[in-house]
């Protein structure tokens, strides 16, 4: 990787960390005005699937487009650690898109491929943590999808799995997943992604945990 490119990617990573802190502060002050917390003044609305696709699809499509072209991205894929890290990134977003298209009935990050190979131990630990977080996220999404029977409306408090211990097990799983990815990649870009994810999802999870956030929920078993 050329020095100028590395400098640019590092600068973008630090910028993402800074934006994560800004988002954290703003979301703590204003909350996350979407979903159950949306109000008439929150902004224009989109159908759930369309909104989810706008959020998730670029993170799957842009890395694929970058790798499909010639040049540095293709050259970096000659290193197997880069292939594994890219696969981990794409698997996450492919799973999210699959939920949109085939499972959910409700509901860009720059991918800088690293060229520094982490130690085998750290890489394996990070990969295991990523897989653990992803499985938690998938199971938690399954619980959320099956909260309501056909024809039911309103919100219910999820039960089962890690929902017995924390209010937003799906967000917890995603944070763990990206922390594992950051550990496996051992790069500032990976850690910036994890920090930004934490800053955004932690505030949303707190909003769920707050009893006032559940004021519209059906708390019956």
């Amino acid at each position: 990787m050329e020095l100028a490119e590395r400098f640019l990617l590092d600068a973008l990573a630090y910028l993402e960390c800074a934006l994560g802190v800004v988002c954290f502060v703003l979301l703590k002050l204003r909350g996350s005005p979407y979903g159950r917390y949306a109000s008439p003044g929150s902004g224009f609305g989109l159908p759930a699937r369309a909104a989810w696709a706008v959020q998730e699809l670029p993170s799957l499509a842009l890395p694929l487009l970058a790798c499909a072209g010639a040049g540095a991205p293709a050259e970096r894929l000659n290193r197997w650690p880069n292939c594994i890290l890219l696969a981990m990134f794409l698997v996450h977003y492919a799973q999210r898109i699959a939920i949109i298209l085939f499972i959910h009935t409700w509901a860009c990050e720059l991918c800088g491929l690293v060229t520094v190979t982490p130690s085998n131990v750290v890489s394996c630990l990070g990969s295991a943590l990523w897989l653990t977080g992803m499985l938690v996220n998938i199971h938690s999404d399954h619980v959320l999808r099956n909260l309501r029977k056909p024809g039911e409306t309103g919100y219910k408090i999820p039960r089962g799995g890690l929902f017995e211990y924390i209010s937003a097990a799906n967000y917890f799983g995603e944070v763990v997943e990206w922390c594992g990815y950051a550990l496996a990649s051992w790069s500032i870009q990976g850690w910036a992604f994890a920090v930004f994810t934490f800053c955004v999802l932690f505030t949303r999870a707190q909003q769920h945990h707050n009893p006032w956030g559940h004021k519209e929920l059906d708390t019956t078993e």
Side-chain angles (χ1 to χ4, degrees):
M1 180 183 294
E2 296 181 1
L3 182 61
E5 184 180 4
R6 180 180 293 276
F7 177 82
L8 175 60
L9 291 177
D10 289 351
L12 289 172
Y14 288 121
L15 176 62
E16 184 177 21
C17 288
L19 290 175
V21 173
V22 171
C23 288
F24 180 86
V25 173
L26 291 177
L27 293 174
K28 287 287 287 184
L29 294 175
R30 300 188 57 187
S32 303
Y34 65 91
R36 77 184 70 166
Y37 309 112
S39 63
S42 297
F44 66 91
L46 285 175
R49 288 192 178 187
W52 205 257
V54 168
Q55 174 179 288
E56 305 286 3
L57 187 57
S59 294
L60 176 66
L62 293 180
L64 290 175
L65 289 174
C67 293
E75 293 176 4
R76 290 171 197 153
L77 292 179
N78 291 328
R79 302 180 179 89
W80 67 264
N82 290 342
C83 294
I84 293 175
L85 291 170
L86 178 61
M88 291 163 64
F89 188 92
L90 294 178
V91 163
H92 170 86
Y93 284 103
Q95 185 265 144
R96 304 303 289 174
I97 296 298
I99 287 177
I100 301 167
L101 296 178
F102 306 113
I103 302 176
H104 267 313
T105 56
W106 55 270
C108 164
E109 171 65 18
L110 173 66
C111 181
L113 295 176
V114 296
T115 56
V116 178
T117 303
S119 70
N120 289 336
V121 174
V122 173
S123 180
C124 289
L125 287 176
S127 299
L129 190 62
W130 171 84
L131 181 60
T132 300
M134 185 173 186
L135 292 176
V136 169
N137 185 257
I138 291 173
H139 177 263
S140 301
D141 278 342
H142 172 76
V143 171
L144 292 174
R145 287 195 303 273
N146 291 278
L147 281 179
R148 295 192 297 268
K149 296 178 182 178
E152 286 187 331
T153 59
Y155 289 98
K156 292 184 178 181
I157 296 177
R159 303 293 186 188
L162 286 183
F163 282 113
E164 296 296 324
Y165 305 98
I166 53 180
S167 299
N170 52 328
Y171 294 154
F172 173 78
E174 186 156 353
V175 170
V176 169
E177 186 179 351
W178 291 120
C179 285
Y181 183 86
L183 190 63
S185 68
W186 202 251
S187 65
I188 183 60
Q189 290 78 23
W191 286 111
F193 198 104
V195 168
F196 189 89
T197 300
F198 171 82
C199 288
V200 173
L201 296 187
F202 178 77
T203 53
R204 181 74 172 181
Q206 277 194 317
Q207 199 169 6
H208 286 349
H209 185 72
N210 187 331
W212 291 104
H214 291 299
K215 62 184 178 181
E216 298 179 0
L217 298 182
D218 176 5
T219 58
T220 59
E221 294 291 342

